[in-house]
């Protein structure tokens, strides 16, 4: 009985395995042989190769740990022990840290501490008992980490066993007797071994014939770790002095990682067209980020089947993701953002099994200004009451927004009951049962039954994890929800991620796991420094020197394994393509080719691909229909054709759009809807709509024709917005004026408003301010505390100045917030040619003077600077303001008499209270008629160009439709400068002529 090692080139490894198996079987093909493989995937590949080359009868393919489980697992189970899992180790480490925190006292509760100690504990368990004592003697850091591992082992050893226990028990079993099927063993392409791995193989060698097949690159630097492992076994490994040479190697440089993967997929398509099956192709990478997701995505785009580890982790699938989010949804209290992130992420159902109306509920929660935990019930109830009152006033019997608000209240209450208090504890079994109920009830059994294979496998794995967590009551007491979630999440760190069957589609995965790969075409992406080799990571607990003294693998071992596998794949594959990124767009950095290519670069020059377009033009066959369409366009242009004459309708329309927008004429792509017959004035129109068209026709079109409005998130405002501030003042004045009109308060006397009026106005303000505060429309508490007093001061200033006004005019209030324009209450304005325009709106206040005339007042809470000059001699301010004439006409219609009427803006500007208005006589009405006709003609003509503000610094976004990204108008304003030269727009948007003074300057 002995151990012998065979060093072969990677391309000869499978053939050497077949030869070794035949040699061990001799003349009897039914003699059992056990092949120890590094991974299950390697075992499948080896089994299929043996099946094609001599048969696999009586050949078992086992990993070393599966062999240890068969040898020692039964005896450990007979002692009443159970296999340990990640949650069990985590709980044990938490318990140890609570009693023996040592140097970890300040970070004992941090999840990263638990993860780091768990990983080190497992390494030490694989390395054997001597490694713990060696680590304890290495340094202070090593001593503290070793003591935690020792105490963790003592905590678990009575009831649990791990891989270290299995290996140790297997060594003891093999030392006494060995099953017949283990008398002939082949260790195929092992990883570098240490500690208990070596001890088990050495023990097997004392009882069996053990043949170790090592794939050597021929480079002592690359093979050094494997040579060291064989030396520990007492076996000499002769490595060929000549390094491996790849069979057929192409090295290609692309712009970035995305282009690498696109080229890789095209290479797969080309190989398939040459007759190479997908199952004989592999795409490999050195680092999961960003390649795992990119490969999964681009293969999916091309509808190419694949198998391997995808970029989408198991924890990112619907069921585990839902449960992880649900367990943590109230980590800062049940906030609106976190709740709707959960509801929008997966198709959740309510308690009745109906789909949750996420969009409607989100709108309701946002409009109700719900933000924090304590906002849900009071603010949603206040919002429902406002919606119901508004809809009833409009004559609607059903208020859908109010119903949605009440349904959301009920859902949140049910969710709170289900979650319980965040600090409440339950047993592990209770939490696992609760989790299963939430999955079924909130996702729905019918939805779960329709999950595709990846999602179904993730759901099944979630159920297995919950089953394991039920057994934790034996080692830990009741836990809080956050602790349960942390342990549940830890299980997915080692969750199986492979999808598909080996041999079905392209094999994808990392280079470190591509052991024993048997393919005709290997495509390796990411061959750049920083990825190959990866930066070493010694870990947060111990240094590399500590690891060396303890017999643990060095931090550079991952890089060494990738290095060895890189050359193994190049040597084993019939043909290889190595792709190198020149840059990283994610970090805006450049990349250099990996130094590992230096030895072969002279014989295999790197072919650069300058761009995505060049790659498409040079490809033999595009990967999918979108690439095919784009390449056809590029080919047409490259031979002198015109892309605008292409038969590709999508591209043609896009180019026509771009050309039209760059022209000096207004087109259908930037606001010319003259061919669309839209009746803008079928019903009454508000004066603010007309003003919006004058200010920005594009904004008018989007807001009033398409009905699209910016999303406003009241709950995120730091202070009360200008619009809400105006609504508050209007509400207070309306309630005040209605009490005057109804007689609850006297009309102003000869001296104007009296002190009792101010006291009542002040009381009404407090009531309205409390209502706004309850509804969440006042911003943060600190700013509202100051702003509330400022608004009160504005009202006091208004009361003083308005008292003087009513005293001077002898006015009495006859209307407040009077709506007009409904059926039976029509108001019209004259247009040129005898037409009449129906208008609608709401007058803030109408006074009757002592002389019998009317004064219409429109309250404005902003500044008067935009109105002060332009309204002096023009009632419409150059066809830009139509509220005053509209309200004046409405006041006359409401009064039912033809009397003098004056319409005024009443400004609540903080620096100065001011009234600006206009007396409407025959001359003024004629001006209004002409200006109104100008605007109506423009709207009916169908011209809606974008009219942005000149670029420059702005304190706020004046028009969300001109700059929806809030990044300014620097790119849009030049377009408007060109479009306004269109002669069709000159009547409305002609460039202002320079004055003589300007010309002289």
């Amino acid at each position: 009985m002995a151990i012998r090692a065979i060093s072969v080139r990677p391309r000869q490894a499978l053939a050497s395995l077949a030869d070794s198996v035949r040699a061990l079987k001799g003349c009897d093909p039914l003699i059992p042989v056990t092949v120890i493989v590094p991974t299950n995937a390697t075992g499948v590949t080896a089994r299929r190769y043996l099946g094609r080359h001599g048969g696999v009868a009586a050949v078992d393919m086992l990993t070393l740990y599966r062999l240890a489980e068969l040898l020692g697992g039964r005896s450990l189970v007979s002692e009443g022990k159970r296999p340990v899992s990640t949650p069990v180790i985590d709980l044990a480490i938490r318990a140890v840290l609570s009693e023996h925190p040592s140097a970890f006292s300040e970070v004992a509760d941090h999840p990263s501490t638990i993860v780091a100690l768990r990983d080190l504990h497992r390494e030490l368990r694989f390395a054997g008992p001597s490694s713990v004592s060696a680590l304890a003697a290495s340094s202070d850091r090593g001593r503290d980490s070793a003591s935690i591992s020792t105490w963790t082992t003592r905590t678990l050893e009575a009831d649990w066993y791990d891989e270290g226990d299995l290996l140790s028990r297997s060594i003891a079993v093999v030392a006494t007797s060995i099953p017949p099927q283990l008398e002939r063993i082949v260790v195929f392409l092992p990883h570098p071994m240490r500690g208990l791995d070596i001890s088990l193989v050495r023990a097997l060698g004392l009882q069996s014939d053990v043949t170790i097949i090592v794939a050597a690159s021929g480079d002592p630097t690359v093979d050094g770790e494997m040579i060291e492992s064989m030396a520990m076994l007492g076996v000499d490994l002769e490595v060929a002095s000549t390094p491996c040479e790849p069979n057929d190697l192409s090295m290609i440089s692309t712009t970035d990682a995305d282009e690498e993967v696109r080229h890789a997929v095209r290479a797969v398509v080309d190989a398939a067209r040459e007759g190479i099956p997908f199952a004989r192709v592999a795409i490999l990478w050195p680092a999961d980020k960003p390649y795992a997701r990119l490969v999964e995505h681009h293969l999916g785009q091309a509808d190419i089947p694949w198998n391997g580890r995808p970029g989408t982790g198991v924890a990112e699938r619907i069921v585990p993701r839902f449960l992880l989010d649900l367990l943590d949804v109230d980590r800062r209290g049940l906030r609106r953002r976190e709740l709707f992130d959960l509801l929008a992420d997966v198709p959740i159902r309510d308690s009745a099994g109906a789909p949750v109306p996420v969009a409607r509920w989100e709108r309701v929660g946002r409009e109700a200004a719900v933000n924090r935990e304590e906002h849900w019930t009071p603010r949603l109830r206040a919002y429902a009451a406002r919606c119901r009152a508004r809809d009833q006033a409009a004559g609607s019997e059903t208020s859908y927004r109010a119903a949605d608000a009440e349904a959301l209240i009920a859902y949140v209450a049910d969710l709170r009951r289900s979650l319980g208090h965040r600090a409440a504890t339950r047993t592990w079994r209770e939490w696992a049962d609760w989790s299963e109920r939430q999955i079924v009830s909130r996702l729905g059994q019918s939805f779960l039954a329709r999950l595709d294979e990846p999602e179904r496998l993730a759901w099944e794995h979630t159920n297995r994890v919950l089953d394991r967590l039920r057994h934790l009551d034996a080692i830990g007491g009741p836990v809080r929800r956050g602790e349960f979630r942390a342990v549940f999440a830890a299980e997915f760190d080692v969750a199986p991620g492979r999808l598909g069957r080996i041999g079905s589609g392209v094999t994808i995965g990392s280079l470190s796991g591509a052991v024993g790969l048997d393919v005709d075409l290997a495509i390796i992406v990411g061959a750049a420094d920083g990825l190959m080799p990866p930066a070493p990571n010694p870990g947060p607990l111990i240094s590399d020197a500590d690891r060396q003294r303890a017999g643990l693998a060095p931090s550079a071992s991952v890089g060494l394994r990738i290095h060895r596998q890189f050359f193994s794949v190049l040597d084993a594959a019939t043909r290889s393509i190595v792709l190198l990124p020149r840059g990283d767009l994610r970090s805006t950095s450049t990349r250099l080719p990996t130094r590992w290519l230096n030895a072969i670069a002279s014989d295999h020059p790197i072919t650069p691909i300058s761009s995505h377009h060049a790659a498409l033009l040079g490809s033999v066959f595009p990967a999918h229909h979108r690439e095919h369409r784009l390449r056809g366009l590029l080919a047409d242009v490259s031979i002198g054709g015109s892309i605008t004459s292409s038969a590709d309708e999508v591209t043609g329309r896009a180019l026509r759009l771009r050309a039209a927008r760059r022209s000096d004429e207004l087109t259908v792509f930037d606001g010319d809807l003259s061919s669309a017959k839209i009746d803008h004035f079928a019903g009454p129109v508000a004066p603010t709509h007309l003003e919006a068209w004058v200010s920005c026709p594009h904004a008018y079109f989007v807001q009033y024709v398409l009905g699209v409005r910016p999303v406003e998130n009241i709950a995120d405002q730091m202070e009360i917005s200008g619009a809400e501030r105006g609504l508050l003042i209007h509400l207070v004045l309306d309630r005040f004026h209605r009490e005057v009109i109804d007689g609850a308060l006297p009309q102003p006397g000869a001296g104007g408003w009296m002190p009792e009026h101010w006291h009542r106005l002040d009381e009404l303000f407090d009531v309205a301010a409390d209502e706004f505060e309850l509804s969440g429309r006042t911003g943060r508490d600190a700013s509202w505390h100051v702003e509330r007093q400022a608004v009160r001061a504005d009202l006091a200033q208004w009361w003083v100045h308005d008292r003087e006004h009513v005293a001077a005019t002898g006015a009495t209030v006859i209307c407040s917030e009077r709506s007009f324009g409904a059926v039976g209450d029509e108001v019209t304005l004259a247009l040129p040619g005898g037409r009449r325009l129906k208008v609608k709106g709401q007058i803030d206040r109408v006074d009757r003077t002592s002389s019998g005339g009317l004064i219409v007042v429109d309250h404005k809470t902003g500044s008067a600077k935009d109105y002060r000059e332009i309204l002096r001699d023009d009632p419409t301010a150059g066809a830009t303001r139509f509220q005053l004439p509209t309200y004046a006409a409405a006041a006359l219609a409401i009064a039912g008499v033809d009397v003098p009427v004056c319409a005024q803006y009443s400004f609540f500007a903080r620096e100065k209270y001011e009234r600006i208005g206009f007396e409407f006589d025959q001359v003024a009405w004629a001006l209004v008629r002409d200006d109104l006709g100008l605007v109506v003609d423009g709207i009916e003509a169908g011209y809606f160009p974008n009219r942005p503000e000149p670029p420059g610094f702005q304190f706020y976004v004046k028009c969300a439709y001109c700059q929806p990204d809030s990044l300014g108008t620097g790119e849009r304003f030049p377009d408007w400068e060109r479009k306004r030269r269109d002669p069709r727009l000159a009547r409305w948007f002609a460039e202002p002529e320079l004055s003589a003074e300007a010309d002289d300057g």
Side-chain angles (χ1 to χ4, degrees), residues 233-247:
L233 275 173
V235 178
D236 293 331
L237 180 66
E238 295 183 3
V239 179
S241 58
T242 304
C244 295
E245 289 293 333
N247 290 314

Side-chain angles (χ1 to χ4, degrees), residues 38 121 181-182 227 233 245 269 297 436 450 498 531 540 542 562 592 666 814 855 870 883 922:
H121 170 73
Q181 62 268 29
L182 293 181
I227 295 172
L233 275 173
E245 289 293 333
V269 173
H297 170 75
E436 285 191 346
R450 297 193 304 271
R498 172 171 283 275
L531 298 172
I542 59 176
I562 294 175
L592 298 175
L666 188 71
I814 62 172
I855 298 178
I870 58 178
Q883 283 181 292
Q922 294 301 321

Side-chain angles (χ1 to χ4, degrees), residues 617-867:
L617 287 174
S619 64
V620 178
F621 197 85
H624 46 78
H625 67 92
R626 283 176 291 276
E627 283 196 350
H628 180 78
R629 181 171 61 85
L630 183 57
R631 194 186 71 157
L633 295 172
L634 291 171
D636 289 344
V637 174
S638 65
I639 61 175
S642 172
I643 195 170
T644 56
S645 61
S646 169
D648 188 286
E649 179 61 21
V650 176
T651 304
R653 291 176 62 185
L655 292 173
R656 289 195 296 273
L657 180 149
R658 186 177 69 171
R661 286 186 171 174
R662 290 178 175 178
S663 70
D664 292 341
E665 295 182 357
L666 188 71
T667 68
V668 294
F669 297 107
D670 40 36
D672 182 5
L673 273 71
S674 56
S675 61
K677 302 304 179 182
I678 303 174
D679 189 355
H680 298 271
F681 305 109
V685 62
T688 52
H689 294 190
L690 303 174
E691 295 174 359
W693 185 86
V694 176
S695 176
C696 179
H698 172 72
Y700 169 91
F701 174 75
V702 176
Q703 185 171 4
Y704 298 119
V705 178
L706 299 182
V708 177
R709 287 173 173 77
V711 174
E712 296 183 3
N713 196 346
I714 301 175
D716 288 345
Q717 294 175 353
M718 297 298 295
E719 59 184 19
I720 187 171
S721 67
E724 294 296 336
R725 186 175 180 274
L727 288 174
L728 174 58
I729 290 177
H730 277 73
L731 177 62
V732 174
L733 293 180
D734 178 45
R735 292 177 177 177
F736 171 72
H737 290 140
R738 287 186 184 276
E739 290 192 5
V740 173
I741 296 170
D742 296 339
L745 288 172
Q747 289 282 355
W753 299 114
M754 294 168 284
E756 62 180 293
H757 290 105
W758 166 247
H759 294 313
R760 183 55 181 159
L761 182 64
D762 192 44
E763 291 174 355
L764 291 171
F765 168 72
D766 282 331
V767 173
D770 290 342
E771 292 175 359
F772 268 60
E773 186 174 350
L774 178 64
S775 66
R777 294 182 286 172
T778 56
R780 302 299 172 89
D781 292 342
S783 64
W784 172 235
H785 177 74
V786 176
E787 189 67 18
R788 180 168 178 152
Q789 302 308 316
V791 177
R792 189 193 304 274
D794 289 346
L795 286 172
Q797 181 178 241
W798 170 87
W799 182 81
V800 171
H801 289 279
D802 201 66
R803 179 180 60 179
E804 298 173 357
H805 166 75
V806 295
T809 59
T812 57
V813 182
I814 62 172
C815 289
S816 177
E817 297 296 336
R818 175 64 160 79
S819 299
F820 60 89
V823 177
D825 193 18
E826 293 88 353
V827 175
T828 62
L829 290 174
L831 295 173
R835 292 176 59 194
R836 306 288 298 186
L837 177 68
K838 294 181 181 180
V839 291
K840 64 180 179 179
Q842 186 168 285
I843 306 174
D844 291 344
R845 177 174 135 186
V846 180
D847 294 346
R848 190 186 300 277
T849 67
S850 57
S851 62
L854 299 178
I855 298 178
V856 180
V857 180
D858 185 39
H859 301 304
K860 295 290 185 184
T861 55
S863 174
K865 65 180 181 180
D866 293 334
Y867 298 78

Side-chain angles (χ1 to χ4, degrees), residues 217 491 902 998:
S217 68
E491 277 284 77
C902 175

